[in-house]
Amino acid sequence: MDEIIKCDHTGRMSGDERREQILRAAVELFSQHGFKGTTTKQIAAASGVSEAMVFRHFATKDELYGAIIHAKACIDGVNKFPWDGDPVVLKALAEKDDHAFFAGVALAALNKHQEDVAFMRLLFYSALEEHDLAERFFHEFVEQVYEFLGGYIERRQKDGVFRAVDPRIVVRSFLGMLIHHSLNNILWDKNRVILDIPNEEAAKNFADILLRGVSAGNSEAKRK
Amino acid sequence: MDEIIKCDHTGRMSGDERREQILRAAVELFSQHGFKGTTTKQIAAASGVSEAMVFRHFATKDELYGAIIHAKACIDGVNKFPWDGDPVVLKALAEKDDHAFFAGVALAALNKHQEDVAFMRLLFYSALEEHDLAERFFHEFVEQVYEFLGGYIERRQKDGVFRAVDPRIVVRSFLGMLIHHSLNNILWDKNRVILDIPNEEAAKNFADILLRGVSAGNSEAKRK
DNA sequence: AAAGATAGTGAGTGCTTACTTACTTTTAAC
DNA sequence: GTTAAAAGTAAGTAAGCACTCACTATCTTT
């Protein structure tokens, strides 16, 4: 009869609601202090419940970590490219508009990094601590990015637009620019002392440098 | 009279010797498991002494970490560029041989990263855990790299050889290629599944892409 | 209103942590 | 050869850790 939306953060919650809240708190804390640097007590406090409740939902701390991986991988879409469905990128891809394509990919990636700092930090912690997330992320996501971007570059090489370089080196260079830029903003230069530019500008510049860097030369044809 | 060199690793050591051994063990362990993931018991065991000895040399775990920072920063030369004193880079710098310069810088950096994986990991842990090392490294090293490389780029722009781009973006792109490549090899793709090339080749390719990417062009500019 | 299920807790468990104390062994200077 | 400093340790300590258990409060179903 009365289907009141439960938005009170204080009282008793349904199992699923509480489970998600614990998960959210754990993501935040693990991303801030790492797996070993976060205590179950902290997680309980951040979720507004007793420690016992945390262990009712997740048998061990490791299982909680595993659930985070699952949630991030399946729901949040680790398997999905940040530029998936982006009309600008899609159009550029179809029309072989190199600059729009690489700038679009770059912008989508930079925006994603900026929006989900917690996930970025989690990813780096998991790589250092050698948890599953890092390996999984690498195989399920990074390798596909190399395939996708590398494939595009290969096609453009066949078109005679890009010069002959190992496409994987080109992808590495490009991802290097993007990820290093985001990493700088997240980890080292949070106040953007060295370089403070909007993502749009950064994306354009990175795409520009890369494309000029791999173009077959200006005298030749551009499009086939 | 008898000045026998002490090289036995088993028996009693002088204070300084033991201190250094503890430091070495701590560097290795902190770089592997992070600050919070390493116990003083582990450090003691790895140094071949009791835990009490660790605390005789370093009053707290934090002080031990501080000593590592100091050692890495002052002795190991965080303030020094990996390419400092490199004859190839020096010659290229004097002769304004752009490709030799950037390839030389890249190679020196990549080699340094490969040789001192422990330091790289320590640096990333400290950035995530927000210890002093990260901030110090940034201010005492990274900012100088931007100044050094940015200065070179600026000069070449005045020479009319490089096109007009914010030099800091160029530096970020270049460092991005280098650091991301090393990071990939250290953290994610240890078996070099995606890309397995010697540092020389990587350095050449990165320099190549960057230089073509920022060159003023032999006939005409491309955009704008 | 009774009953069963579920949300929730306080007060533990045994183990590990960073750090200490009281004590013994080795070295070296006189 | 005595002695005093320095190298070294075994056996602690209190606090903190992941995790448990016995129990209560609240909701839902009938």
Side-chain angles (χ1 to χ4, degrees):
Chain A
M1 306 310 166
D2 32 8
E3 310 245 317
I4 296 156
I5 305 140
K6 285 177 186 173
C7 271
D8 53 301
H9 292 271
T10 47
R12 186 180 156 131
M13 280 187 183
S14 83
D16 291 344
E17 275 178 315
R18 188 61 82 188
R19 196 189 140 93
E20 267 193 54
Q21 183 168 347
I22 292 168
L23 255 155
R24 272 198 306 275
V27 165
E28 195 57 37
L29 285 166
F30 282 151
S31 87
Q32 274 170 33
H33 314 293
F35 181 75
K36 289 186 177 163
T38 304
T39 66
T40 51
K41 201 175 181 177
Q42 284 178 294
I43 294 168
S47 314
V49 285
S50 69
E51 235 177 316
M53 272 310 287
V54 174
F55 285 100
R56 169 145 304 173
H57 285 286
F58 308 95
T60 63
K61 197 182 166 189
D62 270 294
E63 194 183 300
L64 175 53
Y65 184 81
I68 287 175
I69 292 174
H70 186 78
K72 280 285 172 188
C74 297
I75 299 156
D76 234 48
V78 163
N79 315 310
K80 234 184 69 181
F81 300 139
W83 53 85
D84 257 11
D86 185 328
V88 177
V89 174
L90 272 165
K91 187 168 168 256
L93 184 63
E95 293 176 2
K96 293 191 172 180
D97 181 347
D98 297 323
H99 197 278
F101 175 67
F102 281 100
V105 165
L107 181 61
L110 293 180
N111 282 340
K112 174 78 193 291
H113 298 167
Q114 197 169 36
E115 278 161 27
D116 209 349
V117 171
F119 179 60
M120 289 278 113
R121 290 183 56 96
L122 206 68
L123 208 53
F124 270 89
Y125 258 123
S126 73
L128 282 168
E129 290 177 337
E130 289 178 309
H131 273 126
D132 295 340
L133 179 55
E135 205 186 343
R136 205 160 149 175
F137 178 76
F138 183 75
H139 282 113
E140 291 182 13
F141 182 73
V142 180
E143 282 182 358
Q144 279 188 49
V145 172
Y146 271 82
E147 238 174 83
F148 176 70
L149 292 180
Y152 184 88
I153 290 158
E154 227 168 305
R155 267 175 274 140
R156 295 303 274 162
Q157 285 175 330
K158 277 182 189 151
D159 291 345
V161 181
F162 288 179
R163 66 188 173 90
V165 215
D166 188 333
R168 297 168 303 170
I169 293 179
V170 181
V171 176
R172 178 141 305 176
S173 299
F174 190 54
L175 291 186
M177 297 176 191
L178 303 182
I179 294 166
H180 176 68
H181 182 64
S182 292
L183 218 64
N184 237 283
N185 293 333
I186 292 171
L187 288 185
W188 280 286
D189 194 11
K190 289 173 202 168
N191 307 327
R192 321 252 170 144
V193 176
I194 285 188
L195 184 58
D196 188 14
I197 50 168
N199 288 345
E200 284 78 13
E201 203 183 325
K204 270 188 178 182
N205 274 290
F206 291 149
D208 224 35
I209 290 172
L210 188 90
L211 285 174
R212 288 168 191 256
V214 298
S215 85
N218 32 20
S219 53
E220 286 301 311
K222 287 188 94 175
R223 202 156 303 195
K224 193 175 177 182
Chain B
M1 309 312 160
D2 33 7
E3 308 244 320
I4 295 156
I5 306 139
K6 285 177 188 175
C7 270
D8 51 300
H9 293 271
T10 48
R12 187 180 157 130
M13 280 186 182
S14 83
D16 291 345
E17 274 177 316
R18 188 62 80 189
R19 196 189 141 93
E20 266 193 55
Q21 184 168 345
I22 293 168
L23 256 155
R24 272 198 306 275
V27 165
E28 195 57 37
L29 286 165
F30 282 150
S31 88
Q32 274 171 34
H33 313 295
F35 181 75
K36 290 191 174 157
T38 304
T39 67
T40 51
K41 201 175 182 177
Q42 285 178 292
I43 294 167
S47 314
V49 285
S50 69
E51 236 177 312
M53 272 310 289
V54 173
F55 284 99
R56 168 144 305 173
H57 285 285
F58 308 96
T60 64
K61 198 182 165 189
D62 269 294
E63 193 183 301
L64 174 54
Y65 184 81
I68 287 175
I69 292 173
H70 185 77
K72 278 286 173 189
C74 298
I75 299 155
D76 234 49
V78 163
N79 313 311
K80 233 184 71 182
F81 300 139
W83 53 83
D84 257 12
D86 185 327
V88 177
V89 174
L90 272 166
K91 188 167 166 254
L93 185 63
E95 293 176 1
K96 294 191 172 180
D97 181 347
D98 296 325
H99 197 278
F101 175 67
F102 280 100
V105 165
L107 182 60
L110 294 180
N111 282 340
K112 174 78 193 292
H113 299 165
Q114 197 169 34
E115 280 161 27
D116 209 348
V117 172
F119 179 61
M120 289 278 112
R121 289 183 58 96
L122 205 69
L123 208 53
F124 269 89
Y125 258 123
S126 73
L128 282 168
E129 291 176 337
E130 289 178 309
H131 272 125
D132 296 339
L133 180 54
E135 206 188 342
R136 204 160 150 174
F137 177 77
F138 184 76
H139 283 112
E140 292 182 11
F141 182 73
V142 180
E143 282 182 357
Q144 280 188 48
V145 172
Y146 272 82
E147 237 174 83
F148 176 69
L149 292 180
Y152 184 89
I153 290 158
E154 227 168 306
R155 266 174 276 141
R156 296 302 276 161
Q157 284 175 330
K158 277 182 189 148
D159 291 345
V161 181
F162 288 179
R163 67 187 173 90
V165 214
D166 188 333
R168 296 168 304 170
I169 293 180
V170 182
V171 176
R172 177 141 305 176
S173 299
F174 189 55
L175 291 186
M177 297 177 190
L178 303 182
I179 293 166
H180 176 68
H181 182 63
S182 293
L183 219 64
N184 237 283
N185 293 332
I186 291 171
L187 287 185
W188 281 287
D189 194 11
K190 289 175 202 168
N191 307 327
R192 320 250 169 145
V193 176
I194 285 188
L195 184 58
D196 188 14
I197 50 168
N199 288 345
E200 285 78 12
E201 204 183 323
K204 270 188 177 181
N205 274 289
F206 291 149
D208 224 35
I209 290 172
L210 188 91
L211 285 173
R212 287 170 190 256
V214 298
S215 85
N218 29 18
S219 55
E220 271 309 305
K222 287 188 99 173
R223 200 166 288 257
K224 196 174 183 181

